[in-house]
Amino acid sequence: MTAPISVREIGADEFALVWPLFRSIVAAGDTYSYPPDLSFEQARDWWTTPPSQCFVAERGRLVLGCYMLKPNQPGLGDHVANAGYMVSPAARGQGVASAMCEHSMAQARDAGFTAMQFNFVVSTNTAAVRLWQRHGFRIVGQVPGAFRHVKHGPTDVYVMHRHL
Amino acid sequence: MTAPISVREIGADEFALVWPLFRSIVAAGDTYSYPPDLSFEQARDWWTTPPSQCFVAERGRLVLGCYMLKPNQPGLGDHVANAGYMVSPAARGQGVASAMCEHSMAQARDAGFTAMQFNFVVSTNTAAVRLWQRHGFRIVGQVPGAFRHVKHGPTDVYVMHRHL
């Protein structure tokens, strides 16, 4: 029987756990706008320095994915959360992204956020777009050519949103 | 005869020049998501720390407005510029925002940006929306209730974009 997926918050001191996954996703250049050669220190700081919070999804001690949760704006826009998710290529199709999305929405609600917004969903990442739609997000914006996809070149980016 | 509007870049050492204007715009709570009680140091760091660049519009030594220019995303999204503009209430209707917008687009082109995106144009700020439209920007997204307007409450926010 397969152990369940558990999700927990980690601090900067444990960011090394998710770094191999993080690095491989960013290096692929097909879903995140981070520089493909992003350093460990920069990634760790972006994902773990408050108000950003970093979470890891694990099965036992096996890292399946990670996500980051933060306010999308400061001040008068800080009721809207923002999140970014990464799933290990070896763990695709196991519901890891769904588990993290549900976890992030619960965390966001608990923290008082009333909505969640993704600013940069690469339009060719159709599996992600459909997954977020199944979780209640809708496309509220489309920015032409905002992502330089490593394979497809200039690629549209969606803004997605849902109330919590 | 009225002296022309001139626009120049300033560093952290001159941010105090624009701080009275900056503070009054943010304190009004009707156009920017910054915390209304934002500190001088935080504002200065956000607007002058590279890759952010800060510019001041002046007539002689009179400060009319200021703007910030930066990449909207790191890495594979850093061909799209982002900018934010503030006009002194005493200098409204004098073409200050237009002068800064034109200046920012020229700066952005010179720096190699191929597009410009505004992420957070408050929908009730109709003068600004129309002005950006006249300067070639179009609304590519609308996020429901993303701004807590000090007078109107939850207010939609536009994402605006143009190629350069």
Side-chain angles (χ1 to χ4, degrees):
Chain A
M1 198 178 144
T2 310
I5 298 170
S6 62
V7 182
R8 65 185 176 92
E9 185 174 2
I10 59 171
D13 59 319
E14 285 193 280
F15 190 74
L17 270 181
V18 302
W19 174 239
L21 161 59
F22 195 110
R23 183 171 47 182
S24 70
I25 296 285
V26 171
D30 56 357
T31 56
Y32 272 83
S33 66
Y34 297 135
D37 61 349
L38 187 65
S39 72
F40 172 82
E41 290 75 18
Q42 181 68 78
R44 181 194 61 198
D45 292 354
W46 277 343
W47 275 45
T48 67
T49 303
S52 293
Q53 295 177 275
C54 182
F55 298 82
V56 60
E58 297 163 308
R59 183 172 280 124
R61 303 191 66 151
L62 181 67
V63 171
L64 307 173
C66 57
Y67 80 87
M68 174 270 302
L69 179 69
K70 65 179 174 65
N72 195 49
Q73 297 283 344
L76 301 176
D78 70 359
H79 56 295
V80 181
N82 171 246
Y85 311 82
M86 296 182 179
V87 175
S88 167
R92 297 268 160 82
Q94 299 178 25
V96 178
S98 283
M100 291 195 296
C101 186
E102 291 297 332
H103 191 273
S104 68
M105 289 196 289
Q107 284 282 328
R109 284 188 197 99
D110 286 351
F113 292 107
T114 58
M116 186 176 286
Q117 179 176 340
F118 305 144
N119 303 303
F120 209 86
V121 181
V122 175
S123 58
T124 50
N125 192 2
T126 52
V129 173
R130 281 197 297 262
L131 185 67
W132 306 146
Q133 286 173 327
R134 282 203 299 277
H135 284 277
F137 289 81
R138 66 188 183 89
I139 295 171
V140 298
Q142 179 167 358
V143 188
F147 182 59
R148 300 195 304 278
H149 192 292
V150 70
K151 286 192 201 124
H152 306 308
T155 299
D156 289 6
V157 160
Y158 295 134
V159 179
M160 299 187 74
H161 175 276
R162 69 158 285 172
H163 294 287
L164 294 177
Chain B
M1 195 177 143
T2 310
I5 298 170
S6 63
V7 183
R8 65 184 175 93
E9 186 174 1
I10 59 171
D13 59 318
E14 287 193 279
F15 190 75
L17 270 181
V18 302
W19 174 240
L21 160 60
F22 195 111
R23 183 171 48 185
S24 71
I25 296 285
V26 170
D30 56 358
T31 57
Y32 273 83
S33 64
Y34 298 133
D37 61 349
L38 187 66
S39 72
F40 171 82
E41 290 75 17
Q42 181 68 79
R44 182 193 61 197
D45 292 354
W46 278 343
W47 275 46
T48 66
T49 303
S52 293
Q53 294 177 273
C54 183
F55 298 83
V56 61
E58 298 163 307
R59 182 173 280 124
R61 302 191 66 149
L62 181 66
V63 171
L64 307 173
C66 57
Y67 81 86
M68 174 271 301
L69 179 69
K70 67 178 172 67
N72 195 48
Q73 296 284 341
L76 301 176
D78 70 0
H79 57 295
V80 181
N82 172 246
Y85 310 83
M86 296 181 179
V87 175
S88 168
R92 296 267 161 82
Q94 299 177 24
V96 178
S98 283
M100 292 195 294
C101 186
E102 291 296 332
H103 190 274
S104 68
M105 289 195 289
Q107 284 284 328
R109 283 188 198 100
D110 286 350
F113 292 107
T114 58
M116 186 175 285
Q117 178 176 340
F118 306 145
N119 303 302
F120 208 86
V121 181
V122 175
S123 59
T124 49
N125 191 2
T126 52
V129 174
R130 281 196 297 261
L131 185 67
W132 307 146
Q133 287 173 326
R134 282 202 299 276
H135 284 277
F137 289 81
R138 65 188 183 88
I139 295 170
V140 297
Q142 179 166 357
V143 188
F147 182 59
R148 300 195 305 278
H149 192 292
V150 70
K151 287 191 201 124
H152 307 307
T155 299
D156 289 4
V157 161
Y158 295 134
V159 180
M160 299 187 74
H161 176 276
R162 70 157 285 173
H163 294 288
L164 294 176

